[in-house]
Amino acid sequence: MAELTQAEVHEALTRLGDYVRLAQAPLVSHFPQLESVVQLDERAEKLRAILLEAIEALGPPRPTSFGSPESRAREALTMRYVEEMSIEDMAAELSVSRRQVYRDLGLAEKRLTQLLSSWACPTQQGPQTAAPGDTIGEELSLFSSRPAEVQLRRVLDDALSLVQPLANELGVKLKLVSPLDERIRVVGDLAFTRQVLVRALSLAVQATTAGEIAIGVEVQDERVVLHLGFSAPEPFAFAEGLETIRRITQSQGMACEALSQSPGKVDLTLTLCRRAPKRVLIVEDNPGAVELYRRYLPVEDWQVEATSDSRVAFELIKALKPHVVILDIMMPHVDGWTVLRDLKENPQTRKTPIVICSIANDPMLARALGAAASLSKPVSQAQLLVALHRCLGE
């Protein structure tokens, strides 16, 4: 099979918004699981998902600034091909020259090509690497999360009891070195939170070169940080397992990091939220826009729900009781202006703040019909977050 080229990657990126042309992109030939898909829209959707996941994988765990070298590739590709920003707009937003934007894009596409090559069907000389979404991604997408207040002491005790047999077998002591008030609660799905704690404890038990895991708890205003201190060799032999935990925690608004306190000493931290995220309902028929908004809204702060059918917006708002709604205008069946008017005329939904995000933006009409804010596409992350926080009086 021919080698995957940067030109093929670039061509596919330029077709992200055109499903017909994306489905026929030469890049498809490097992924056998895509070539076997007959329906063009389904093939395009799968390739788009691979590209977006690869772009996300180029950077470190969010949040991070554009100035961070690890994030420049991801942000450059997102702005140019997902948000469809012009070179001039990117230069203005980032306060850099047009030449620097082109340079960043070139380097980013090179890195993306290297990553996709490792995911694609291998040549005869190379080892096969599974494409993204085959294991962890698929499981996470199928898991229905139900965030709620969880008593940390209870879920930690459950996790410790599950890992204790493994610790006994390996001769490792699990020691709680700081008191844990039973009143401390965190926000998250109970099963997910327990699973993260079990995975982290098991990883530490199997990785340590000493006979003890010191478990500490640091309570902050909006976070609880769980510290697992132990001895382990460098480089860490458990990097693969750590990456699995990171992916799981990121999907639920948590965080996992392994820090070297001193040579041979590791502090594995799990950061959990103490406050519930705000719920936002996206009424948008463009799946690309929904994906973009999801990436803009940190899962630790926002619980995102979405529908592509404007006809069900009223019922969803009554059922979900979102803190704010993001509404498109140009949609089939019922346009956004009609939805906005009807929601504001109904006593059950009139108090819900609505942010208009559309290429058919008309701020004066939006305000007259009751919208809390009105943004023109393409919308940047900063614009969207500012609008949402203002709607909530933050």
Side-chain angles (χ1 to χ4, degrees):
M1 178 178 290
E3 182 180 354
L4 189 152
T5 67
Q6 186 170 333
E8 291 173 322
V9 173
H10 175 80
E11 185 176 1
L13 289 171
T14 62
R15 299 182 181 187
L16 272 183
D18 186 337
Y19 271 29
V20 175
R21 295 180 63 235
L22 182 60
Q24 301 171 357
L27 187 62
V28 170
S29 64
H30 296 279
F31 294 89
Q33 70 269 35
L34 298 181
E35 286 191 298
S36 61
V37 178
V38 177
Q39 294 293 331
L40 292 183
D41 57 346
E42 183 181 353
R43 186 194 304 166
E45 188 172 333
K46 289 181 180 295
L47 178 56
R48 179 184 173 87
I50 289 176
L51 287 168
L52 291 177
E53 185 165 353
I55 290 173
E56 188 72 13
L58 290 180
R62 295 181 183 273
T64 187
S65 65
F66 184 88
S68 168
E70 296 83 2
S71 71
R72 292 181 71 91
R74 177 178 64 196
E75 301 303 334
L77 293 171
T78 299
M79 288 181 176
R80 180 60 172 161
Y81 299 114
V82 180
E83 298 180 41
E84 298 182 349
M85 293 178 65
S86 67
I87 297 297
E88 290 73 17
D89 288 343
M90 289 178 64
E93 172 119 352
L94 302 171
S95 299
V96 298
S97 66
R98 294 173 73 253
R99 177 178 295 181
Q100 183 62 49
V101 171
Y102 279 118
R103 185 180 297 116
D104 287 341
L105 282 171
L107 293 174
E109 290 181 19
K110 181 177 180 181
R111 287 188 57 198
L112 187 66
T113 301
Q114 293 170 343
L115 180 59
L116 288 171
S117 295
S118 70
W119 287 357
C121 181
T123 61
Q124 293 182 349
Q125 292 78 22
Q128 182 162 0
T129 304
D134 290 344
T135 51
I136 300 173
E138 285 187 7
E139 287 192 35
L140 291 175
S141 67
L142 294 173
F143 192 95
S144 179
S145 177
R146 299 178 182 275
E149 281 198 344
V150 176
Q151 187 182 45
L152 182 58
R153 181 59 188 260
R154 172 192 167 192
V155 72
L156 179 58
D157 285 345
D158 286 347
L160 287 169
S161 67
L162 290 169
V163 178
Q164 190 63 58
L166 174 64
N168 293 341
E169 181 179 323
L170 297 178
V172 177
K173 182 180 179 181
L174 300 173
K175 181 180 180 182
L176 190 63
V177 295
S178 58
L180 182 54
D181 193 322
E182 292 186 356
R183 294 171 296 178
I184 296 176
R185 296 178 179 271
V186 295
V187 175
D189 182 274
L190 176 60
F192 240 118
T193 305
R194 183 191 297 114
Q195 182 61 227
V196 166
L197 293 179
V198 169
R199 284 176 177 262
L201 287 165
S202 175
L203 183 66
V205 167
Q206 295 178 61
T208 185
T209 55
E212 181 176 285
I213 307 294
I215 305 168
V217 179
E218 176 188 354
V219 180
Q220 303 174 356
D221 289 340
E222 297 185 351
R223 303 280 189 270
V224 174
V225 183
L226 193 69
H227 296 268
L228 305 181
F230 55 95
S231 299
E234 295 183 277
F236 304 132
F238 53 83
E240 182 178 349
L242 179 62
E243 183 58 29
T244 299
I245 299 176
R246 279 180 176 148
R247 289 193 61 187
I248 295 173
T249 55
Q250 288 172 24
S251 73
Q252 297 297 302
M254 308 175 190
C256 174
E257 292 297 332
L259 307 174
S260 297
Q261 299 290 65
S262 60
K265 299 290 185 180
V266 178
D267 180 20
L268 181 61
T269 64
L270 291 171
T271 304
L272 312 175
C273 298
R274 295 189 67 191
R275 59 183 176 83
K278 296 291 192 298
R279 184 180 293 109
V280 55
L281 173 64
I282 302 173
V283 184
E284 168 67 71
D285 65 315
N286 182 347
V290 175
E291 289 173 6
L292 182 63
Y293 298 154
R294 286 187 185 276
R295 291 171 184 274
Y296 280 174
L297 302 175
V299 291
E300 64 267 24
D301 297 324
W302 301 94
Q303 180 181 341
V304 179
E305 308 287 349
T307 179
S308 60
D309 191 344
S310 57
R311 295 172 295 184
V312 302
F314 175 72
E315 295 299 327
L316 283 176
I317 291 175
K318 286 200 304 178
L320 298 174
K321 295 179 172 56
H323 295 87
V324 63
V325 174
I326 298 174
L327 177 64
D328 186 27
I329 295 300
M330 298 180 64
M331 292 184 291
H333 308 302
V334 182
D335 66 89
W337 297 127
T338 302
V339 173
L340 175 60
R341 181 200 62 192
D342 293 348
L343 292 175
K344 288 303 175 180
E345 288 182 351
N346 193 297
Q348 295 179 278
T349 55
R350 67 167 54 138
K351 292 185 178 180
T352 303
I354 298 177
V355 176
I356 299 295
C357 290
S358 177
I359 58 173
N361 189 28
D362 187 335
M364 293 187 65
L365 178 59
R367 185 168 58 252
L369 289 173
S374 183
L375 303 174
S376 297
K377 291 180 178 178
V379 179
S380 71
Q381 182 180 32
Q383 289 174 318
L384 184 62
L385 289 175
V386 167
L388 294 178
H389 286 302
R390 283 179 177 171
C391 287
L392 300 175
E394 299 175 346

PDB file of all heavy atoms in Angstrom, residues 113-127:
ATOM      1  N   THR A 113      -0.002  14.173   9.891  1.00  0.00           N
ATOM      2  CA  THR A 113       0.282  13.106   8.926  1.00  0.00           C
ATOM      3  C   THR A 113       1.029  11.959   9.593  1.00  0.00           C
ATOM      4  O   THR A 113       0.725  10.781   9.370  1.00  0.00           O
ATOM      5  CB  THR A 113       1.115  13.658   7.752  1.00  0.00           C
ATOM      6  OG1 THR A 113       0.380  14.715   7.108  1.00  0.00           O
ATOM      7  CG2 THR A 113       1.423  12.565   6.735  1.00  0.00           C
ATOM      8  N   GLN A 114       1.992  12.292  10.434  1.00  0.00           N
ATOM      9  CA  GLN A 114       2.749  11.254  11.139  1.00  0.00           C
ATOM     10  C   GLN A 114       1.839  10.447  12.064  1.00  0.00           C
ATOM     11  O   GLN A 114       1.942   9.220  12.143  1.00  0.00           O
ATOM     12  CB  GLN A 114       3.879  11.901  11.940  1.00  0.00           C
ATOM     13  CG  GLN A 114       4.952  12.545  11.072  1.00  0.00           C
ATOM     14  CD  GLN A 114       5.924  13.391  11.878  1.00  0.00           C
ATOM     15  OE1 GLN A 114       5.651  13.770  13.021  1.00  0.00           O
ATOM     16  NE2 GLN A 114       7.074  13.704  11.288  1.00  0.00           N
ATOM     17  N   LEU A 115       0.941  11.143  12.754  1.00  0.00           N
ATOM     18  CA  LEU A 115       0.030  10.449  13.664  1.00  0.00           C
ATOM     19  C   LEU A 115      -0.942   9.559  12.901  1.00  0.00           C
ATOM     20  O   LEU A 115      -1.156   8.396  13.256  1.00  0.00           O
ATOM     21  CB  LEU A 115      -0.745  11.473  14.498  1.00  0.00           C
ATOM     22  CG  LEU A 115      -1.756  10.912  15.506  1.00  0.00           C
ATOM     23  CD1 LEU A 115      -1.061   9.992  16.505  1.00  0.00           C
ATOM     24  CD2 LEU A 115      -2.477  12.036  16.228  1.00  0.00           C
ATOM     25  N   LEU A 116      -1.529  10.079  11.827  1.00  0.00           N
ATOM     26  CA  LEU A 116      -2.473   9.294  11.036  1.00  0.00           C
ATOM     27  C   LEU A 116      -1.789   8.094  10.387  1.00  0.00           C
ATOM     28  O   LEU A 116      -2.402   7.041  10.215  1.00  0.00           O
ATOM     29  CB  LEU A 116      -3.130  10.179   9.976  1.00  0.00           C
ATOM     30  CG  LEU A 116      -4.156  11.196  10.499  1.00  0.00           C
ATOM     31  CD1 LEU A 116      -4.565  12.156   9.395  1.00  0.00           C
ATOM     32  CD2 LEU A 116      -5.378  10.497  11.078  1.00  0.00           C
ATOM     33  N   SER A 117      -0.528   8.248  10.028  1.00  0.00           N
ATOM     34  CA  SER A 117       0.218   7.124   9.442  1.00  0.00           C
ATOM     35  C   SER A 117       0.318   5.975  10.426  1.00  0.00           C
ATOM     36  O   SER A 117       0.263   4.801  10.048  1.00  0.00           O
ATOM     37  CB  SER A 117       1.622   7.574   9.024  1.00  0.00           C
ATOM     38  OG  SER A 117       1.563   8.525   7.969  1.00  0.00           O
ATOM     39  N   SER A 118       0.455   6.303  11.714  1.00  0.00           N
ATOM     40  CA  SER A 118       0.546   5.250  12.733  1.00  0.00           C
ATOM     41  C   SER A 118      -0.812   4.604  12.994  1.00  0.00           C
ATOM     42  O   SER A 118      -0.882   3.492  13.515  1.00  0.00           O
ATOM     43  CB  SER A 118       1.097   5.824  14.045  1.00  0.00           C
ATOM     44  OG  SER A 118       0.158   6.681  14.665  1.00  0.00           O
ATOM     45  N   TRP A 119      -1.885   5.322  12.650  1.00  0.00           N
ATOM     46  CA  TRP A 119      -3.237   4.783  12.841  1.00  0.00           C
ATOM     47  C   TRP A 119      -3.722   4.007  11.624  1.00  0.00           C
ATOM     48  O   TRP A 119      -4.619   3.165  11.729  1.00  0.00           O
ATOM     49  CB  TRP A 119      -4.227   5.912  13.108  1.00  0.00           C
ATOM     50  CG  TRP A 119      -4.106   6.524  14.468  1.00  0.00           C
ATOM     51  CD1 TRP A 119      -3.270   6.131  15.467  1.00  0.00           C
ATOM     52  CD2 TRP A 119      -4.847   7.631  14.970  1.00  0.00           C
ATOM     53  NE1 TRP A 119      -3.441   6.927  16.558  1.00  0.00           N
ATOM     54  CE2 TRP A 119      -4.399   7.862  16.296  1.00  0.00           C
ATOM     55  CE3 TRP A 119      -5.831   8.464  14.438  1.00  0.00           C
ATOM     56  CZ2 TRP A 119      -4.921   8.877  17.082  1.00  0.00           C
ATOM     57  CZ3 TRP A 119      -6.349   9.471  15.222  1.00  0.00           C
ATOM     58  CH2 TRP A 119      -5.899   9.675  16.535  1.00  0.00           C
ATOM     59  N   ALA A 120      -3.173   4.340  10.450  1.00  0.00           N
ATOM     60  CA  ALA A 120      -3.681   3.763   9.206  1.00  0.00           C
ATOM     61  C   ALA A 120      -3.223   2.328   9.031  1.00  0.00           C
ATOM     62  O   ALA A 120      -2.437   1.783   9.813  1.00  0.00           O
ATOM     63  CB  ALA A 120      -3.219   4.610   8.016  1.00  0.00           C
ATOM     64  N   CYS A 121      -3.726   1.707   7.966  1.00  0.00           N
ATOM     65  CA  CYS A 121      -3.314   0.339   7.639  1.00  0.00           C
ATOM     66  C   CYS A 121      -1.809   0.331   7.406  1.00  0.00           C
ATOM     67  O   CYS A 121      -1.296   1.109   6.602  1.00  0.00           O
ATOM     68  CB  CYS A 121      -4.042  -0.136   6.390  1.00  0.00           C
ATOM     69  SG  CYS A 121      -3.625  -1.833   5.918  1.00  0.00           S
ATOM     70  N   PRO A 122      -1.040  -0.530   8.091  1.00  0.00           N
ATOM     71  CA  PRO A 122       0.409  -0.497   8.011  1.00  0.00           C
ATOM     72  C   PRO A 122       0.947  -1.083   6.713  1.00  0.00           C
ATOM     73  O   PRO A 122       0.277  -1.834   6.028  1.00  0.00           O
ATOM     74  CB  PRO A 122       0.843  -1.354   9.202  1.00  0.00           C
ATOM     75  CG  PRO A 122      -0.269  -2.352   9.322  1.00  0.00           C
ATOM     76  CD  PRO A 122      -1.535  -1.623   8.933  1.00  0.00           C
ATOM     77  N   THR A 123       2.173  -0.709   6.416  1.00  0.00           N
ATOM     78  CA  THR A 123       2.870  -1.367   5.316  1.00  0.00           C
ATOM     79  C   THR A 123       3.353  -2.718   5.807  1.00  0.00           C
ATOM     80  O   THR A 123       3.258  -3.053   6.979  1.00  0.00           O
ATOM     81  CB  THR A 123       4.092  -0.525   4.887  1.00  0.00           C
ATOM     82  OG1 THR A 123       4.968  -0.436   6.010  1.00  0.00           O
ATOM     83  CG2 THR A 123       3.674   0.856   4.447  1.00  0.00           C
ATOM     84  N   GLN A 124       3.932  -3.503   4.941  1.00  0.00           N
ATOM     85  CA  GLN A 124       4.371  -4.831   5.345  1.00  0.00           C
ATOM     86  C   GLN A 124       5.480  -4.769   6.382  1.00  0.00           C
ATOM     87  O   GLN A 124       5.660  -5.661   7.180  1.00  0.00           O
ATOM     88  CB  GLN A 124       4.852  -5.623   4.116  1.00  0.00           C
ATOM     89  CG  GLN A 124       3.736  -5.943   3.143  1.00  0.00           C
ATOM     90  CD  GLN A 124       4.236  -6.753   1.972  1.00  0.00           C
ATOM     91  OE1 GLN A 124       5.436  -6.904   1.771  1.00  0.00           O
ATOM     92  NE2 GLN A 124       3.321  -7.271   1.190  1.00  0.00           N
ATOM     93  N   GLN A 125       6.253  -3.649   6.366  1.00  0.00           N
ATOM     94  CA  GLN A 125       7.370  -3.560   7.301  1.00  0.00           C
ATOM     95  C   GLN A 125       6.943  -3.066   8.680  1.00  0.00           C
ATOM     96  O   GLN A 125       7.672  -3.216   9.637  1.00  0.00           O
ATOM     97  CB  GLN A 125       8.432  -2.576   6.765  1.00  0.00           C
ATOM     98  CG  GLN A 125       9.159  -3.052   5.528  1.00  0.00           C
ATOM     99  CD  GLN A 125       8.325  -2.893   4.276  1.00  0.00           C
ATOM    100  OE1 GLN A 125       7.398  -2.083   4.246  1.00  0.00           O
ATOM    101  NE2 GLN A 125       8.631  -3.651   3.239  1.00  0.00           N
ATOM    102  N   GLY A 126       5.786  -2.431   8.763  1.00  0.00           N
ATOM    103  CA  GLY A 126       5.420  -1.781  10.017  1.00  0.00           C
ATOM    104  C   GLY A 126       4.459  -2.597  10.835  1.00  0.00           C
ATOM    105  O   GLY A 126       3.697  -3.396  10.323  1.00  0.00           O
ATOM    106  N   PRO A 127       4.449  -2.398  12.149  1.00  0.00           N
ATOM    107  CA  PRO A 127       3.484  -3.069  13.012  1.00  0.00           C
ATOM    108  C   PRO A 127       2.127  -2.411  12.882  1.00  0.00           C
ATOM    109  O   PRO A 127       2.034  -1.232  12.573  1.00  0.00           O
ATOM    110  CB  PRO A 127       4.067  -2.836  14.418  1.00  0.00           C
ATOM    111  CG  PRO A 127       4.799  -1.543  14.302  1.00  0.00           C
ATOM    112  CD  PRO A 127       5.360  -1.515  12.911  1.00  0.00           C
TER     113      PRO A 127
END
